Amino acid sequence: MKLHLITTFLLVFSFTFSFAQKDIKIEGTVIEEDTNIPLEYATVVVKTKADDKIITGGITDTKGKFEVEVPEGSYIVSVEYISYKTKSFPEQNFTQNTNLGTVNLALDVDTLNEVTVVAERTTVEIKLDKKVYNIGKDLTTAGGTVSDALNNVPSVTVDVEGAISLRGNENVRILINGKPSAMAGFGDSNVLSQLPAEAIERVEVITSPSARYDAEGTAGILNIILRQKETLGFNGSINLTAGNPDNVGLSATLNYRTENYNLFSNFGWRYFDAPRTSFSDVTYFDRIDEGQTITPEYRRIVEDQNVERLNRNYNANIGMEYFIDESSSITGSVFYRLGSDADTSLNSSERFNNNTIVEETLRKEKETEEDNSYQIALNYVKRFADDSDHKLTVDFQYENDSEEGFTNLNEDYLFSDQTNPEPFQKEQEFTTEDKKEFLFQADYVLPLGEDSRFEAGYRGNFENEITDYRLEQENLDNGNLEVNDDVSNIFDYDENVNAVYSQYGTKFGEFSFLLGLRLEHTQLKGSIASDFTDEALNADFDKNYLGLFPTVNLIYNINGTESDSEESITVGFNRRINRPRGWFINPFPSRSSRTSIFQGNPDLDPAYSSTFDLGYLKRWDKFTLTTSVYYQHETDSFERVEENTGLQTSDGIDIIRTIPINLSTNKRTGAELGFLYNPNKWLRLNSSFNFFQFDTEGEFNDVDYSAKNTSWFARFSSKISLPWQIDWQTNASYRGAVQDAQSDTDGVLSIDLALSKELKIKKNSLTVSANVRDLLNSRKRQSTTTTEFFERYSEFQWRQRQVSLSLIYRFNQQLNKRERSGRPGNGGDEDMEFEG
């Protein structure tokens, strides 16, 4: 590999001085042995035998062809390609044009293994506005999902319910390949648990987003870059997974690339029947209403719920990138997802007075949901004047998501101290959600000299969501199910965002900076159709917001580019917005149970945050250290609070309402530390630690919800290469206890183990992996919530310990083609990516 790099370097600066002699043309075609696939960018070297002096050289084109010119004379010609054995022709005297014919190169297994080891390592790169984690072979996520892979990225945590947090903040924006996408579920992170982890190439953790990105997400952005093979010919991988509790998955990534186009596709199917459990123990207090002391019907209620979840998910992504010419390309893709869920819940409820059980009921709930969504995307890239940095990019996306849900509720008495207790009403809920979203984006990049560039662009995002909710309840007089018009409603919600931005970046010496300004206009509009009227209910609203969002990102390379070790300091500032989503705004209550409801708040305003970030990176040969400190100030932060509605169920249980409000000013301070250490080829270690403190100030309905809390989370991973090409990986993570104004949540420990064996099948490979996620079965959320009306202890486990076996077959992936410097479509979203 070193010889190859030195040779390439010398070729760039070599000259031919034989002006008086006749030039001879030497040509030929380079292909891979056995497959006959042309090798693009193979290096051809012409040198003299006597003094081993390089005379000239060249590289092959997309068809593997090469052509070089030399003066008449005697030369040795050699052909090199990374991971392949060099082929040399004996010295011969060239006196006329010569065609060497077809040159077959064979794989160099030793070199290929060396390259594979490097590719397996997870590495981190520091950019002006982001940290880029190139995902290596993570055995614990083999056969897993994108959510599983994200949970192993430093600064990122995924809780027991699938909610994603960045530095402990759940208001994080999820992008796929730099854009909002149906693959990320229209903001519903649970969809990421349906996509295979094998699809991820890298994750960009963007805590100080540049002006190019939309301003949504006060915590920052997670940009998931999916794999797209650059290998010529047909190649791909197939992944089969089976596990217990029932978990079966099949996914495939197929790619076919020629000189003029690239066909790519991803397919996935997953079936799992994983139980979910929850437990709550609520003690109710006396309350004062208009000077009267009101004693609750039941002093204590204990609920134990078990849910069987039968989920089947299908997804497919098919696309083609067509190279119009050397400077432009167009890419089109279609993504489709079908989800079918069927949950059966049994909830046992015991009610106590004076520490004696007085009533026990069993609630049966059957819920089905069908989710149909698709996305159509077009991308056009035009590069100007053969300059890969001077370009225009235009994107268009249309997404459509349709969900239909049905819930049947039925509760019966198992025991009661009453002679003729009031029977429960049977209930049926019907919910239909239709979402449509259009995205249009244009970005123009203009280099200004060698080390500076200017960028400007526009993004329009237009979303409409219609939720049709109907509740039918049993008429106890005749047994018929009748529509409850006071609750049934149709909510029509629009979110339209228009944005323009510009930014300027430059580099002088070891110092680089990127300055940007984004202007966004947001319209949030909603209307409700319902027979229920309430003057206090702001059923129709139309709110408009105009905001400026500056960004400043700086990086200083301490050691300079010539140093053996890299060392850099980064500084970032950005202003962000958190817009309330449709579910948070819909004022009609959704019923998670008879005693607990969630009600949106149409009066919610967006929250705004300003964040300062100071980072440091030091990279040695085998050790990489990253650290940062940050401070965030957020205004109009909306939080969910629980309160007693003053209403009771037919059997006298208080109904508790959860409602989001613009509660507080939130100040968050934190620090994080991470390292990657590869002391030997057989041992790889990485770890991260994040410590943060938040301070909220606010009140609601004369109740002070101010709180100050300190928490932390840490993770550690080790990968050991054992004899017989067996790899062993251990991942451990711990999230510290968290407190807010009403709840204390205990810490959560999770440990994952995996073993992997890779088998070579000619030039293909088969990886067999066995893993255990949550070895101790300890990924449970345990919390205590205290208000003036009640105290509740609860436990929640979204997914139990999982044991899986995975087979991954990869074929024709050895020809990892280098980037085409002159062609579009491979650069991604570069943001003055001066590395640290």
Side-chain angles (χ1 to χ4, degrees):
M1 290 176 63
K2 292 182 179 179
L3 174 62
H4 171 78
L5 293 175
I6 294 173
T7 302
T8 304
F9 177 78
L10 292 174
L11 289 175
V12 176
F13 297 99
S14 63
F15 296 93
T16 303
F17 296 103
S18 306
F19 297 105
Q21 293 179 315
K22 176 184 176 182
D23 286 337
I24 301 300
K25 185 185 299 182
I26 302 175
E27 59 185 346
T29 304
V30 182
I31 64 174
E32 187 207 15
E33 193 174 81
D34 296 335
T35 65
N36 296 328
I37 296 175
L39 295 178
E40 184 182 5
Y41 291 112
T43 304
V44 180
V45 180
V46 181
K47 60 184 179 180
T48 59
K49 181 177 181 180
D51 53 8
D52 201 33
K53 178 182 178 182
I54 295 177
I55 301 302
T56 188
I59 58 176
T60 57
D61 61 17
T62 55
K63 296 181 180 179
K65 296 183 179 298
F66 68 89
E67 181 181 297
V68 295
E69 292 185 352
V70 297
E72 292 184 14
S74 296
Y75 306 108
I76 296 175
V77 180
S78 61
V79 182
E80 305 172 1
Y81 195 84
I82 189 170
S83 301
Y84 286 76
K85 295 179 180 178
T86 299
K87 181 148 188 186
S88 297
F89 293 84
E91 182 183 27
Q92 59 179 297
N93 187 26
F94 290 92
T95 59
Q96 60 182 356
N97 294 343
T98 303
N99 190 326
L100 297 178
T102 301
V103 181
N104 296 283
L105 295 187
L107 276 171
D108 187 338
V109 178
D110 293 335
T111 305
L112 182 62
N113 288 338
E114 180 182 349
V115 173
T116 301
V117 169
V118 174
E120 288 178 357
R121 298 177 183 173
T122 296
T123 60
V124 59
E125 300 173 61
I126 302 297
K127 308 293 186 179
L128 265 170
D129 64 341
K130 70 189 76 171
K131 293 178 183 176
V132 182
Y133 293 93
N134 298 293
I135 304 299
K137 276 191 176 179
D138 190 334
L139 308 184
T140 60
T141 62
T145 66
V146 170
S147 290
D148 297 321
L150 288 178
N151 204 37
N152 290 333
V153 174
S155 304
V156 180
T157 55
V158 183
D159 70 11
V160 294
E161 294 179 290
I164 298 171
S165 299
L166 178 58
R167 291 175 167 176
N169 187 344
E170 292 186 5
N171 185 227
V172 56
R173 180 73 156 162
I174 308 294
L175 302 179
I176 303 290
N177 294 334
K179 294 181 286 292
S181 172
M183 295 185 189
F186 294 91
D188 180 6
S189 59
N190 284 327
V191 173
L192 297 177
S193 64
Q194 302 173 16
L195 301 178
E198 177 76 7
I200 297 181
E201 177 178 325
R202 66 183 186 270
V203 176
E204 298 178 346
V205 179
I206 311 175
T207 53
S208 184
S210 71
R212 168 184 293 178
Y213 298 100
D214 59 24
E216 175 70 29
T218 56
I221 295 172
L222 289 179
N223 186 21
I224 301 169
I225 307 298
L226 302 181
R227 297 185 188 274
Q228 183 173 326
K229 296 298 181 183
E230 297 295 326
T231 307
L232 289 172
F234 179 64
N235 56 85
S237 64
I238 300 174
N239 188 345
L240 175 63
T241 300
N244 180 55
D246 291 351
N247 179 26
V248 181
L250 177 65
S251 64
T253 300
L254 305 175
N255 197 85
Y256 180 73
R257 189 181 185 103
T258 69
E259 179 185 2
N260 297 319
Y261 63 86
N262 182 30
L263 293 172
F264 54 90
S265 62
N266 295 279
F267 304 94
W269 169 77
R270 187 177 183 225
Y271 166 95
F272 70 92
D273 188 2
R276 173 172 63 84
T277 61
S278 63
F279 171 84
S280 69
D281 188 343
V282 186
T283 299
Y284 293 93
F285 309 137
D286 293 339
R287 58 187 176 89
I288 306 299
D289 187 6
E290 297 182 353
Q292 299 291 323
T293 299
I294 300 178
T295 300
E297 182 75 16
Y298 303 102
R299 183 62 69 180
R300 179 181 172 217
I301 298 178
V302 177
E303 294 190 359
D304 195 352
Q305 183 184 41
N306 290 278
V307 182
E308 290 294 330
R309 299 181 297 158
L310 175 60
N311 293 353
R312 289 158 292 181
N313 304 305
Y314 311 84
N315 62 80
N317 184 40
I318 303 175
M320 183 179 76
E321 179 182 16
Y322 177 71
F323 302 106
I324 301 173
D325 52 39
E326 289 296 320
S327 64
S328 60
S329 71
I330 187 168
T331 303
S333 64
V334 177
F335 172 78
Y336 175 74
R337 184 181 72 249
L338 173 64
S340 179
D341 302 342
D343 297 352
T344 301
S345 168
L346 295 178
N347 191 344
S348 172
S349 178
E350 298 177 332
R351 294 144 197 182
F352 297 83
N353 280 325
N354 299 320
N355 294 322
T356 301
I357 186 170
V358 295
E359 193 168 87
E360 183 179 3
T361 64
L362 180 65
R363 185 173 74 247
K364 300 177 182 179
E365 179 177 341
K366 292 185 178 181
E367 181 180 2
T368 60
E369 183 177 292
E370 297 288 336
D371 183 3
N372 235 314
S373 66
Y374 64 89
Q375 169 187 292
I376 301 172
L378 292 173
N379 167 267
Y380 172 75
V381 179
K382 172 64 179 177
R383 299 179 188 268
F384 302 94
D386 296 327
D387 187 338
S388 60
D389 289 330
H390 185 195
K391 64 178 181 178
L392 172 67
T393 305
V394 180
D395 289 280
F396 171 79
Q397 266 183 198
Y398 170 71
E399 302 177 2
N400 185 290
D401 186 28
S402 177
E403 296 182 12
E404 293 185 359
F406 169 75
T407 304
N408 184 79
L409 293 168
N410 185 21
E411 190 164 1
D412 294 311
Y413 291 97
L414 299 180
F415 163 77
S416 178
D417 63 352
Q418 302 180 50
T419 305
N420 293 304
E422 182 75 17
F424 298 108
Q425 291 178 297
K426 294 180 181 179
E427 294 184 358
Q428 289 185 348
E429 296 179 356
F430 301 85
T431 305
T432 301
E433 295 183 8
D434 289 306
K435 305 177 185 179
K436 294 179 176 61
E437 185 170 351
F438 292 88
L439 169 70
F440 179 80
Q441 180 174 335
D443 300 285
Y444 175 71
V445 181
L446 175 65
L448 301 173
E450 184 177 349
D451 294 324
S452 302
R453 75 181 189 180
F454 170 80
E455 183 174 347
Y458 162 81
R459 172 181 283 190
N461 211 88
F462 312 100
E463 177 184 344
N464 173 258
E465 178 181 345
I466 299 176
T467 303
D468 188 340
Y469 175 79
R470 186 173 84 251
L471 173 65
E472 295 182 355
Q473 293 178 304
E474 181 185 12
N475 185 323
L476 296 177
D477 293 333
N478 54 32
N480 296 329
L481 290 172
E482 299 176 356
V483 176
N484 185 331
D485 293 323
D486 287 347
V487 177
S488 302
N489 66 93
I490 299 176
F491 181 51
D492 191 340
Y493 172 72
D494 290 288
E495 178 181 301
N496 302 318
V497 181
N498 287 278
V500 292
Y501 79 93
S502 65
Q503 60 185 19
Y504 172 76
T506 190
K507 179 178 183 180
F508 48 91
E510 309 310 328
F511 182 79
S512 308
F513 70 81
L514 182 63
L515 307 178
L517 184 64
R518 188 176 186 91
L519 175 67
E520 289 194 350
H521 176 267
T522 303
Q523 180 190 42
L524 304 179
K525 184 169 63 173
S527 63
I528 293 179
S530 175
D531 292 340
F532 178 66
T533 58
D534 186 347
E535 294 181 358
L537 182 65
N538 184 15
D540 297 330
F541 59 91
D542 188 350
K543 296 185 177 184
N544 292 267
Y545 308 93
L546 187 67
L548 279 173
F549 302 93
T551 61
V552 180
N553 291 292
L554 306 97
I555 187 169
Y556 177 66
N557 292 310
I558 298 174
N559 290 340
T561 56
E562 302 300 324
S563 174
D564 292 335
S565 64
E566 299 177 29
E567 187 174 11
S568 64
I569 295 176
T570 57
V571 178
F573 166 78
N574 65 84
R575 185 171 187 259
R576 310 281 294 166
I577 187 175
N578 183 11
R579 302 181 184 93
R581 312 301 295 178
W583 186 56
F584 267 40
I585 292 178
N586 189 344
F588 276 87
S590 62
R591 298 159 61 88
S592 57
S593 73
R594 294 187 308 114
T595 60
S596 177
I597 62 174
F598 179 90
Q599 184 172 8
N601 180 6
D603 291 326
L604 271 183
D605 292 326
Y608 294 90
S609 72
S610 296
T611 304
F612 299 86
D613 190 291
L614 176 64
Y616 172 78
L617 173 137
K618 176 72 172 178
R619 193 197 312 271
W620 293 269
D621 180 38
K622 298 180 179 180
F623 189 86
T624 300
L625 173 70
T626 61
T627 183
S628 64
V629 293
Y630 54 91
Y631 170 78
Q632 182 182 80
H633 184 270
E634 184 175 350
T635 58
D636 286 332
S637 173
F638 37 87
E639 311 279 349
R640 284 182 276 192
V641 299
E642 295 185 67
E643 60 179 8
N644 196 312
T645 61
L647 303 176
Q648 292 184 327
T649 61
S650 59
D651 52 340
I653 302 176
D654 290 342
I655 298 176
I656 306 301
R657 177 180 72 166
T658 301
I659 184 171
I661 58 172
N662 291 109
L663 174 65
S664 61
T665 296
N666 194 339
K667 301 174 185 176
R668 181 182 292 263
T669 307
E672 54 188 352
L673 175 71
F675 72 81
L676 299 170
Y677 183 41
N678 304 125
N680 296 285
K681 287 185 177 181
W682 57 270
L683 178 61
R684 292 182 280 276
L685 306 172
N686 71 75
S687 182
S688 63
F689 176 81
N690 193 300
F691 171 87
F692 57 90
Q693 180 183 82
F694 59 85
D695 187 357
T696 60
E697 297 178 358
E699 65 176 39
F700 177 66
N701 286 346
D702 298 324
V703 178
D704 186 3
Y705 289 95
S706 298
K708 189 173 184 178
N709 174 242
T710 299
S711 188
W712 59 279
F713 62 86
R715 60 167 50 90
F716 174 80
S717 176
S718 67
K719 186 176 179 182
I720 301 173
S721 296
L722 302 173
W724 305 292
Q725 293 187 324
I726 297 175
D727 289 330
W728 172 26
Q729 183 170 326
T730 303
N731 286 358
S733 66
Y734 182 82
R735 179 165 184 167
V738 179
Q739 295 85 37
D740 59 26
Q742 292 183 311
S743 300
D744 292 338
T745 303
D746 295 343
V748 178
L749 171 67
S750 181
I751 298 177
D752 301 335
L753 296 179
L755 288 171
S756 174
K757 166 71 175 175
E758 184 159 337
L759 305 171
K760 296 293 183 182
I761 305 176
K762 294 185 178 181
K763 296 179 182 179
N764 305 321
S765 67
L766 175 66
T767 302
V768 182
S769 300
N771 61 55
V772 181
R773 299 192 190 98
D774 194 12
L775 177 69
L776 305 179
N777 202 33
S778 56
R779 263 190 105 188
K780 302 177 182 179
R781 187 186 64 194
Q782 298 172 308
S783 61
T784 301
T785 301
T786 304
T787 73
E788 62 176 313
F789 304 109
F790 66 89
E791 180 178 87
R792 179 180 64 233
Y793 170 77
S794 61
E795 293 182 3
F796 185 92
Q797 186 173 24
W798 183 258
R799 185 173 67 180
Q800 297 182 9
R801 177 175 45 230
Q802 181 84 49
V803 180
S804 299
L805 178 67
S806 179
L807 303 177
I808 303 176
Y809 178 69
R810 301 178 180 89
F811 58 93
N812 295 344
Q813 296 193 16
Q814 66 272 16
L815 310 183
N816 290 319
K817 191 170 67 65
R818 305 164 201 173
E819 282 193 358
R820 301 166 178 241
S821 59
R823 279 198 165 180
N826 299 312
D829 285 337
E830 313 98 342
D831 286 321
M832 287 297 291
E833 294 184 333
F834 304 126
E835 297 182 17

